[in-house]
Amino acid sequence: HAACARREVEVCMQVLETYACDTTTESRERGALLAQTREASLAALSELMGLVKSCEESAQEAANKQRVLEASVSELENDAVGLRTTMKQMLATEAKLQSEVMAFRRH
């Protein structure tokens, strides 16, 4: 989008330059208008490019943070699976011990 906007401004500048270079009585006024337009266009393009670069950096930073968060979520999911397995084993051991205690008390 930035390249397209830049090209549009360049085309406008070419048209203005052609218009300003006419050798009529108003050419000085047109030249001054062209100079002002050129300054404003260059400033706008510079600002636009700065914004595009800033957006690109923000998007890259967000993508990096997303990768880190996805890795953290994956680790947490693995930890949760491990904890569930451990809890099942502990519950099975507890049930076994309780049955052994009940059997011991009966004898």
Side-chain angles (χ1 to χ4, degrees):
H1 295 288
C4 183
R6 180 181 176 149
R7 182 65 191 135
E8 288 178 8
V9 170
E10 288 172 350
V11 168
C12 290
M13 292 303 297
Q14 289 172 354
V15 170
L16 284 172
E17 285 176 357
T18 302
Y19 180 74
C21 291
D22 283 346
T23 55
T24 64
T25 57
E26 299 173 353
S27 66
R28 286 186 190 153
E29 292 174 5
R30 290 182 196 153
L33 176 62
L34 176 64
Q36 289 175 343
T37 304
R38 182 179 286 143
E39 281 182 39
S41 295
L42 289 175
L45 279 175
S46 177
E47 185 174 341
L48 178 63
M49 293 307 291
L51 291 171
V52 168
K53 286 180 183 179
S54 176
C55 288
E56 178 186 12
E57 290 169 1
S58 295
Q60 186 64 36
E61 185 178 324
N64 290 340
K65 286 182 180 179
Q66 181 179 3
R67 280 192 288 278
V68 168
L69 290 173
E70 286 172 351
S72 294
V73 167
S74 178
E75 287 178 23
L76 288 172
E77 288 173 345
N78 290 337
D79 289 347
V81 168
L83 286 172
R84 277 190 221 104
T85 302
T86 302
M87 287 299 295
K88 286 179 185 177
Q89 290 171 349
M90 290 175 70
L91 290 171
T93 302
E94 180 185 20
K96 180 181 174 186
L97 289 173
Q98 284 180 353
S99 67
E100 287 176 5
V101 166
M102 295 296 274
F104 181 74
R105 287 186 182 164
R106 279 186 243 156
H107 292 174

